[in-house]
Each structure stands twice: as structure tokens, then as C-alpha cells.
Amino acid sequence: MTHSAVEIQASTLAGYSDASRLRQANDQDWVLAQAPAAPRVHADLGSGIGQLLQACLERFPSLETAIGLEQSAFRLSEAASRLQPYGDRVLLRHADLMAPEPLELSPDLITMTSVLHWLYPVEFRLFDWVARTMAPGGTFLLTTYHPERDEYGLGGEDDIVRDALAALGRDRALVPGFLAAGDVLPIATRTRDTEGLRDLLERGLRIVSTAERDAVVRVGSAAEYEHFHAATFGDYYSRLVEPPLRQAFFRAVGEAAWRRQQERGHVSHMPVRLWKLTTRD
Ligand SMILES: C[S@@+](CC[C@H](N)C(=O)[O-])C[C@H]1O[C@@H](n2cnc3c(N)ncnc32)[C@H](O)[C@@H]1O
């Protein structure tokens, strides 16, 4: 069977450098402004294509080692090309953050941006790992997105996907059941609320401060959002539809987003929270 370009993009999570300009990359300076003045060892968890590691290497001449832990081989390979000029200051590792392995270094800066929802419901394993691994008094910077949820636990990207599935002829009311039957946990359910997260984080870490901003996504065309969705969510949702319909599904996601852009002046907006944490003692 041949696959369309957008299906190939989704299976390799390609195009993130462009796609992340719509949302995730806008958090970068905001996050790094909370880093210590002269970190020596930085670990970025779910480091993707290495953008945050690169920004850190550029910003902090003090940085001796920048470590990226990431599960996607495609993303690790893109990060390796991006970070090749920094030579042996960079260590990139394949890792599953749902079962994190011991690290031989003790980072004094750990970051994790736009990743936590993928670790639900076992985020505590990663938080425990951070508490064990981070140098005493180190800084852990975490961003979490908080879409509004409906009574079925759907919100944020789930809503756009619901519109797309409806455009493909599915009954809107049956979409929550359809997601559940396909073992697709809504993204809005994957992000715990602030209080739930606070409880989990405070098991082993101390919250130094929190900040919040509104993350607004705007696009100039349906195609732009179609590619953002493929690069960010991969085939997480598209596997719900039969293979012959997948190309049409991605197109419908782009069109659903573009309709919102035209009606509301944006596709979506939601609070993003920046947690600054340190060790307990
Ligand atoms: C939305 S991207 C964020 C990338 C980057 N941190 C940023 O802020 O642009 C989420 C990243 O987390 C990675 N990821 C998701 N689940 C993971 C897991 N269990 N272990 C390691 N990485 C994971 C994905 O492969 C992807 O690169």
C-alpha cells in the first residue's frame, strides 16, 4: 500500500522545526529565563529535534554537557545533525521516560517542555527519577498545557479531531466512544489539572514558583495546521480511521482548524503553566 506524504510525515514526526513555531517554540525563552545563571549539566527530557538544547548551549557558555533523552529515533537523528557543531558537549540518548533509566551524571538543570501529557498516568515515575537524579539545589523546569475538558474528557486537539471526524461522516456524539474503542485517550484527559499535578510533584520535589501564559495557535491556511498536527501528534489520532481514509482525515483536521481560525481569529488557545522546581533539601 502506498502512503500519502502527510501519512509519512506523521509516522516519522517530520517537519517539527516548522510546526513547533506555532506553539511549542514560543515557550523557549520564557522557560530558559528561569534557568540558573550558569548551569554546568543540562538534561532535556523529550528533547525532540534538539531545539531547547541548542538554545541552552548558545545561551550558557558555562554548559559543559547537554543531554537529550528522547524516544523517537527520527527526532534523535534530526537532533544529532542540529547539534553536531557542539561536539562532545552533547549526549543524545534513546530513552523511554515512562521507565527512565539511571543517568551517570547529575544535571543541575533539567527541562521538560510539552511532553508530560504523553507520560500519563505514570508521570510519578519520571518525577521520582528527577528527584533522584538532579543535583541537590538544581532546577527542574516543566511546562504543562491545560486545555478545557468536556464531560467526556475531550478538549484542545480532541475537539479539532472531533470536528474532522464529523466532517468525514462520523456522528459527533459517538466520537468519545470511538476514541475509547480505539484506545486513544483524549489529550485533555492526559493532562492532569493543576492541583493533581501539584500533589504528584510535591511527593519528591519542592515547587519554587509557577507562572502561566496563554498559548494561542493561529494559522495562515488549512495545510499549515494539517502539517502541525502530523508533526506534533503523529499518527496518535489518525490510526482511528481505516488506512484508505487517513489522508482525508489529516486534510479534514487542517480544514477544521482553518474554519476555527476564520470564525474566531485563532485555532485554539489554552493556558500553559511553567513550573520551577528544586530538590527537597
Ligand atoms: C510535543 S514534542 C516536544 C518536543 C520538545 N520538548 C519541545 O518542547 O519542542 C513531545 C516529545 O516528547 C517525546 N516523547 C513522548 N513520549 C516519550 C517517552 N515516553 N519517552 C521519551 N520521549 C517521549 C516525543 O517523541 C516528542 O519528541
Side-chain angles (χ1 to χ4, degrees):
M1 184 199 309
T2 56
H3 294 285
S4 63
V6 70
E7 287 169 82
I8 293 167
Q9 180 188 7
S11 67
T12 58
L13 293 168
Y16 189 72
S17 174
D18 278 341
S20 62
R21 286 199 200 110
L22 291 185
R23 183 186 279 162
Q24 299 89 341
N26 300 327
D27 293 338
Q28 205 165 280
D29 285 341
W30 185 52
V31 171
L32 290 185
Q34 294 297 322
R40 284 190 326 103
V41 179
H42 169 213
D44 187 34
L45 314 179
S47 48
I49 60 173
Q51 292 155 304
L52 192 66
L53 290 169
Q54 181 175 32
C56 230
L57 285 156
E58 289 295 323
R59 191 172 176 131
F60 301 114
S62 60
L63 206 58
E64 292 161 15
T65 310
I67 307 159
L69 303 182
E70 167 60 48
Q71 126 183 299
S72 155
F74 294 106
R75 290 216 160 146
L76 280 168
S77 143
E78 196 171 335
S81 309
R82 176 183 300 274
L83 300 171
Q84 193 263 337
Y86 303 93
D88 57 14
R89 289 171 77 202
V90 175
L91 286 177
L92 293 173
R93 298 249 169 98
H94 182 264
D96 178 4
L97 299 173
M98 291 177 100
E101 292 187 2
L103 192 67
E104 67 279 19
L105 292 163
S106 276
D108 51 354
L109 172 62
I110 299 183
T111 50
M112 187 162 81
T113 57
S114 305
V115 176
L116 190 68
H117 46 285
W118 294 120
L119 309 187
Y120 179 90
V122 293
E123 307 95 315
F124 69 89
R125 293 189 195 153
L126 191 271
F127 295 158
D128 290 351
W129 179 92
V130 170
R132 283 197 307 276
T133 307
M134 190 159 68
T139 300
F140 174 36
L141 299 172
L142 167 73
T143 62
T144 53
Y145 280 79
H146 296 274
E148 274 179 27
R149 273 196 284 262
D150 68 11
E151 68 268 40
Y152 305 106
L154 273 67
E157 198 66 14
D158 310 314
D159 279 337
I160 295 168
V161 166
R162 176 159 39 196
D163 287 356
L165 290 170
L168 292 179
R170 306 269 171 177
D171 182 340
R172 289 184 68 83
L174 300 182
V175 169
F178 184 50
L179 261 63
D183 253 348
V184 172
L185 199 57
I187 289 289
T189 297
R190 287 180 162 276
T191 305
R192 291 178 197 266
D193 62 20
T194 304
E195 282 319 304
L197 274 177
R198 182 180 293 276
D199 290 347
L200 271 187
L201 284 162
E202 285 183 330
R203 282 165 40 132
L205 293 160
R206 184 166 68 76
I207 298 172
V208 177
S209 61
T210 60
E212 221 169 73
R213 66 180 200 87
D214 197 24
V216 186
V217 171
R218 295 190 176 87
V219 287
S221 67
E224 192 181 0
Y225 200 86
E226 177 178 340
H227 293 296
F228 167 80
H229 179 95
T232 301
F233 297 96
D235 57 10
Y236 186 67
Y237 295 102
S238 65
R239 62 196 157 98
L240 280 167
V241 299
E242 308 78 63
L245 279 180
R246 288 194 183 147
Q247 186 176 2
F249 169 78
F250 283 109
R251 193 171 315 121
V253 166
E255 283 163 3
W258 182 234
R259 270 195 303 282
R260 284 163 176 250
Q261 173 68 47
Q262 288 170 312
E263 286 162 16
R264 309 171 186 188
H266 59 260
V267 177
S268 64
H269 76 103
M270 67 184 77
V272 51
R273 174 167 278 245
L274 171 56
W275 306 78
K276 180 173 183 171
L277 302 120
T278 189
T279 50
R280 269 279 178 74
D281 36 40

